[in-house]
C-alpha cells in the first residue's frame, strides 16, 4: 500500500504535524531528518499556508511522485496525483483531449466518494468542449 | 487455471496452438484482425512505473486472485510470469501481439494471463496495472469489446479500480484517461501499396481522428502492406461511439483497396508482377521485412488471379518467418544471417510448393 512521503523531501515520513490556522486544521507529514533541520518551524509554516494559496505541491502527498517529473515525462505517480497536481493536470488534459466529458462505463465496485462529481479533482463541472 | 513454468513444453504448445488469432486471416482478408485494449489501475497503489518491487508483487497477487473466479469459456487460463521466461519466449509472445515490446523489457514483477477461450490476454503491471486485450480475426470490434467488457466487469467486482466520476478510469499516462479504451485493426492493403496510394489513404485516415502505426503498434515499422490503425480519443465518447469512428475509417479503406484492385486487374503490369514474384520465390536469403513484402505481393497476386493457393496454409507461414518463432522452433538462438538463410530455405522448399503460379 502507499506509504505517506515527507512533504519536504519525498522520503518515507515518520512524524505528523498538525497546524491550526484560523480554526482550520492542516496535517503534514515529515521524515526524521527534515524535522531535525534548523529552519523546520519556518518550513512547516510555509507548507501549512500552501492550502490557502492553492500552490501545486512539489511532491504528491500520497505517493511522493515529484511534480517536476510530471512536467518532464507527462506521467503521473498514482491515482491521487490527479487531484494533488489538480490545476496543472487539468490544463494538460484540456490540451490533449478534445473533450473531458466522461460518458463511459462505471465499475461495479469503487470508492463511493470518487463517484461524487468532481470529488478531489479540480476539473470544472461543465464538459470542456473545444 | 494453469500457471505455466519456463520449461513447461505442454503449456507452450497449447499457447502456440491457441493464440494465432492476430494473423489468422492475413492471406485472405483486408481487415486481418480487430483488437480492443482496456487500461485499468488499482486504487491504493502507485502506478507501475512508480512502484517498489514489493508493491508490484502485491498488486500482481491481487490481480491474480481476482482472475480465479472468472468463468472462462475455454478450459484453461495460462498465467506466465515474464521474469521467468527466456528472451525468445518473451519475443514469441510479443510477435503474437499478446504483450507489448515495452512489457518484455520490464525488470519489475509483471505477468501475462492468456484466455484462449475468449481470445484475451491481460498484461499485469505494464504501463497500467491491467491492460486487457481482446482479439478477433477480421472486422469484429464489437464482439471483441463484449468479451473484454465481460472480463472487465468480473475484475471490477473483485478489485477496487482507480476511478473518478468526472474523469473516468485514471491511468498512468493522461492520454489514456476516461474509458482507457483503444480499439485497433490490422489492415492488409497490398493493392493500395502497389498502386502507390497506400500512404495517401493512410494519411487521409489520420485526418479522421485515428492513428496509423506500424505492425507492432507505437514506434514500430510497417511490414509488407500491413498497417495498424487505432483510435485516438479515449474520453468524451462512450465505448461504442469510439469504436464506430474507427469502423467508418476501416470501411473507407476497404472500399479504396477494392478500387485499387480493380484498377490493377485491368492494368498491363500483371505480367511484370508475375515475373517479379517468381524471382522473389527463388531468393536465397530473406529478412523478415522482405518476407512480409513477398507475402503481401503473393496475396495481391492471388486477388488478381496471377497465383492460386490455400489462404489458411499460406497464412501460417507468416508467424514462422518471425525471428523469435523461428528460434523457438529450432530450439536455439540464431544469428540474423542464419535466420535470413532459413527464411529463404522455407520459401524455396516449402512455401513455393503450396503456390500455383
Amino acid at each position: 500500500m502507499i506509504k505517506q512521503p515527507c512533504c519536504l523531501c519525498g522520503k518515507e515520513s515518520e512524524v505528523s504535524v498538525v497546524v491550526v490556522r484560523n480554526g482550520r486544521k492542516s496535517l503534514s507529514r515529515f521524515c526524521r531528518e527534515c524535522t531535525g533541520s534548523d529552519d523546520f518551524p519556518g518550513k512547516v509554516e510555509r507548507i501549512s499556508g500552501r492550502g490557502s494559496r492553492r500552490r501545486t505541491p512539489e511532491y504528491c502527498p500520497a505517493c511522493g511522485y515529484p511534480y517536476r517529473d510530471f512536467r518532464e515525462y507527462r506521467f503521473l505517480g498514482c491515482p491521487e496525483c490527479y487531484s494533488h497536481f489538480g490545476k496543472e493536470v487539468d490544463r494538460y488534459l484540456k490540451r490533449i483531449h478534445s473533450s473531458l466529458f466522461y460518458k463511459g462505463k462505471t465499475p461495479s465496485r469503487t470508492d463511493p466518494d470518487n463517484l461524487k462529481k468532481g470529488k478531489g479533482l479540480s476539473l470544472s463541472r461543465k464538459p470542456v468542449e473545444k | 487455471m494453469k500457471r505455466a513454468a519456463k520449461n513447461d513444453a505442454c503449456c507452450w504448445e497449447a499457447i502456440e496452438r491457441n493464440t494465432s488469432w492476430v494473423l489468422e486471416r492475413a492471406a485472405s482478408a483486408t481487415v486481418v484482425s480487430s483488437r480492443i485494449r482496456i487500461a485499468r489501475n488499482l486504487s491504493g497503489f502507485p502506478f507501475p512505473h512508480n512502484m517498489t518491487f514489493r508493491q508490484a508483487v502485491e498488486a500482481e497477487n491481487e490481480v491474480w486472485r481476482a482472475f480465479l473466479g472468472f468463468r472462462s469459456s475455454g478450459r484453461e487460463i495460462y498465467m506466465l510470469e515474464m521474469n521467468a521466461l527466456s528472451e525468445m519466449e518473451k519475443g514469441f509472445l510479443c510477435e503474437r501481439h499478446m504483450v507489448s515490446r515495452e512489457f518484455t523489457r520490464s525488470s519489475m514483477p509483471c505477468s501475462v494471463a492468456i484466455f484462449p477461450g475468449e481470445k484475451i490476454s491481460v498484461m499485469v503491471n505494464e504501463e497500467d496495472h491491467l491492460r486487457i486485450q481482446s482479439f478477433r480475426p477480421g472486422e469484429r470490434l464489437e464482439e471483441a469489446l463484449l468479451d473484454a467488457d465481460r472480463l472487465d466487469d468480473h475484475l471490477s467486482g473483485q478489485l477496487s479500480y482507480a476511478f473518478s466520476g468526472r474523469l473516468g478510469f485514471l491511468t498512468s499516462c493522461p492520454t489514456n484517461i476516461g474509458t482507457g479504451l483503444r480499439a485497433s485493426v490490422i489492415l492488409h492493403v497490398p493493392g493500395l501499396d502497389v498502386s502507390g496510394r497506400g500512404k495517401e489513404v493512410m494519411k487521409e485516415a489520420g485526418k479522421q481522428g485515428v492513428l496509423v502505426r506500424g505492425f507492432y503498434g507505437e514506434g514500430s515499422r510497417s511490414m509488407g502492406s500491413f498497417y495498424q490503425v487505432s483510435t485516438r480519443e479515449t474520453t468524451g465518447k462512450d465505448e461504442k461511439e469510439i469504436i464506430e469512428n474507427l469502423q467508418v475509417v476501416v470501411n473507407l479503406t476497404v472500399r479504396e483497396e477494392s478500387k485499387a484492385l480493380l484498377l490493377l486487374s485491368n492494368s498491363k503490369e500483371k505480367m511484370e508482377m508475375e515475373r517479379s514474384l517468381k524471382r522473389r520465390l527463388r531468393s536465397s536469403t530473406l529478412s523478415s521485412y522482405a518476407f512480409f513484402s513477398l507475402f503481401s505481393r503473393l496475396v495481391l497476386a492471388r486477388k488478381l488471379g496471377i497465383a492460386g493457393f490455400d489462404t489458411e496454409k499460406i497464412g501460417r507461414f507468416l508467424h514462422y518467418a518471425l525471428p523469435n518463432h523461428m528460434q523457438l522452433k529450432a530450439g536455439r538462438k540464431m544469428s540474423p544471417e542464419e535466420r535470413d538463410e532459413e527464411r529463404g530455405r522455407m520459401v524455396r522448399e516449402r512455401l513455393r510448393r503450396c503456390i500455383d503460379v
Side-chain angles (χ1 to χ4, degrees):
Chain A
M1 288 290 148
I2 295 173
K3 297 240 168 68
Q4 296 290 319
C6 170
C7 293
L8 295 171
C9 66
K11 286 181 194 162
E12 201 175 310
S13 65
E14 290 174 65
V15 180
S16 300
V17 176
V18 178
V19 176
V20 183
R21 190 194 291 262
N22 301 329
R24 282 189 169 183
K25 278 186 194 174
S26 74
L27 173 80
S28 309
R29 295 184 175 87
F30 303 95
C31 66
R32 287 242 177 258
E33 247 170 74
C34 288
T35 51
S37 66
D38 292 342
D39 57 342
F40 179 65
K43 284 176 180 170
V44 173
E45 183 74 13
R46 278 200 299 279
I47 282 174
S48 59
R50 272 179 190 175
S52 53
R53 278 181 280 140
R54 288 178 183 272
R55 273 184 56 190
T56 308
E58 282 176 40
Y59 296 93
C60 166
C63 70
Y65 190 70
Y67 171 63
R68 64 168 186 275
D69 281 8
F70 168 65
R71 291 198 62 159
E72 199 169 332
Y73 308 113
R74 295 304 189 196
F75 272 85
L76 288 155
C78 75
E80 296 293 313
C81 289
Y82 277 95
S83 50
H84 294 300
F85 300 145
K87 274 188 179 171
E88 280 65 27
V89 174
D90 179 5
R91 226 174 281 140
Y92 179 59
L93 286 171
K94 282 177 186 170
R95 221 171 64 212
I96 59 170
H97 292 289
S98 54
S99 165
L100 286 181
F101 181 62
Y102 183 64
K103 281 173 79 180
K105 69 190 277 193
T106 305
S108 55
R109 182 187 141 189
T110 189
D111 180 359
D113 283 352
N114 288 349
L115 285 173
K116 287 180 194 164
K117 298 264 171 174
K119 163 84 168 80
L121 298 161
S122 66
L123 290 163
S124 63
R125 279 170 179 263
K126 266 165 65 183
V128 184
E129 300 284 354
K130 270 187 186 172
Chain B
M1 170 122 45
K2 196 161 185 174
R3 195 168 173 157
K6 187 179 172 183
N7 295 317
D8 188 343
C10 297
C11 194
W12 272 100
E13 273 170 31
I15 290 171
E16 194 180 337
R17 214 175 32 247
N18 294 315
T19 56
S20 56
W21 321 312
V22 176
L23 295 177
E24 215 170 272
R25 297 208 181 158
S28 56
T30 303
V31 188
V32 177
S33 60
S34 311
R35 184 191 69 147
I36 295 290
R37 188 224 66 196
I38 297 177
R40 298 285 184 259
N41 284 286
L42 309 179
S43 63
F45 283 95
F47 292 132
H49 71 94
N50 194 31
M51 285 199 291
T52 61
F53 191 87
R54 203 169 151 183
Q55 285 168 332
V57 173
E58 270 179 50
E60 201 183 19
N61 288 341
E62 209 162 296
V63 173
W64 283 39
R65 273 195 296 275
F67 282 144
L68 291 173
F70 182 69
R71 287 180 135 214
S72 170
S73 56
R75 275 184 305 171
E76 278 167 338
I77 302 169
Y78 300 102
M79 315 282 282
L80 303 163
E81 278 178 83
M82 292 302 284
N83 295 338
L85 303 180
S86 67
E87 288 307 310
M88 268 192 269
E89 287 164 334
K90 285 181 191 176
F92 171 89
L93 292 174
C94 189
E95 286 169 358
R96 292 250 163 163
H97 292 246
M98 298 290 99
V99 301
S100 62
R101 285 191 302 180
E102 296 70 35
F103 193 59
T104 61
R105 293 176 197 139
S106 173
S107 55
M108 290 295 267
C110 57
S111 48
V112 59
I114 297 170
F115 299 71
E118 281 73 23
K119 296 186 171 60
I120 282 179
S121 82
V122 185
M123 288 181 270
V124 184
N125 288 345
E126 207 245 19
E127 187 180 297
D128 295 294
H129 294 131
L130 284 158
R131 284 276 174 112
I132 304 171
Q133 301 192 101
S134 170
F135 301 87
R136 279 287 180 284
E139 206 269 88
R140 286 150 74 193
L141 284 164
E142 278 171 17
E143 273 178 51
L145 177 65
L146 275 178
D147 268 342
D149 240 2
R150 194 168 75 85
L151 178 62
D152 182 41
D153 289 345
H154 166 80
L155 293 174
S156 79
Q158 310 287 315
L159 301 163
S160 178
Y161 278 162
F163 181 81
S164 130
R166 174 134 306 272
L167 289 173
F169 292 93
L170 304 176
T171 51
S172 160
C173 179
T175 49
N176 294 316
I177 204 171
T179 56
L181 178 119
R182 211 172 282 284
S184 63
V185 289
I186 291 183
L187 297 173
H188 190 205
V189 286
L192 282 174
D193 261 2
V194 169
S195 60
R197 293 196 56 227
K199 282 191 180 148
E200 177 201 331
V201 170
M202 289 302 151
K203 204 172 162 187
E204 207 51 46
K207 287 182 193 162
Q208 310 267 339
V210 297
L211 299 164
V212 181
R213 291 166 158 171
F215 190 63
Y216 287 106
E218 205 173 342
S220 66
R221 280 171 65 180
S222 62
M223 292 169 85
S225 301
F226 290 91
Y227 294 91
Q228 193 182 101
V229 181
S230 63
T231 53
R232 186 161 38 201
E233 287 291 348
T234 56
T235 193
K237 290 175 181 162
D238 69 20
E239 288 81 357
K240 280 195 174 166
E241 288 168 335
I242 290 174
I243 286 176
E244 274 166 21
N245 189 31
L246 180 62
Q247 281 166 330
V248 170
V249 175
V250 168
N251 292 340
L252 283 171
T253 315
V254 170
R255 204 176 64 189
E256 290 300 316
E257 170 70 2
S258 305
K259 276 190 207 168
L261 287 175
L262 196 68
L263 281 174
L264 285 170
S265 65
N266 297 325
S267 78
K268 291 171 187 167
E269 291 163 35
K270 275 165 82 174
M271 290 280 278
E272 176 49 38
M273 269 188 233
E274 192 178 337
R275 268 198 297 275
S276 138
L277 190 64
K278 280 181 180 167
R279 201 170 50 240
R280 283 182 187 214
L281 284 168
R282 286 194 297 269
S283 308
S284 55
T285 63
L286 277 168
S287 68
S288 35
Y289 290 101
F291 183 90
F292 267 68
S293 168
L294 166 67
F295 185 89
S296 291
R297 292 302 167 102
L298 260 178
V299 172
L300 177 65
R302 185 182 160 271
K303 287 182 176 173
L304 296 177
I306 301 170
F309 52 81
D310 177 352
T311 52
E312 214 173 295
K313 221 182 218 176
I314 294 297
R316 271 184 232 131
F317 280 94
L318 207 52
H319 268 142
Y320 290 94
L322 293 165
N324 290 291
H325 274 71
M326 199 173 257
Q327 295 180 104
L328 215 57
K329 200 175 178 196
R332 66 184 174 91
K333 211 163 165 47
M334 294 161 87
S335 70
E337 293 75 26
E338 260 185 289
R339 293 200 300 262
D340 292 354
E341 269 176 36
E342 178 57 32
R343 231 173 257 119
R345 199 173 305 128
M346 182 169 92
V347 168
R348 289 191 313 276
E349 292 173 10
R350 289 169 39 219
L351 186 104
R352 228 167 81 179
R353 280 189 204 153
C354 308
I355 300 162
D356 183 19
V357 194

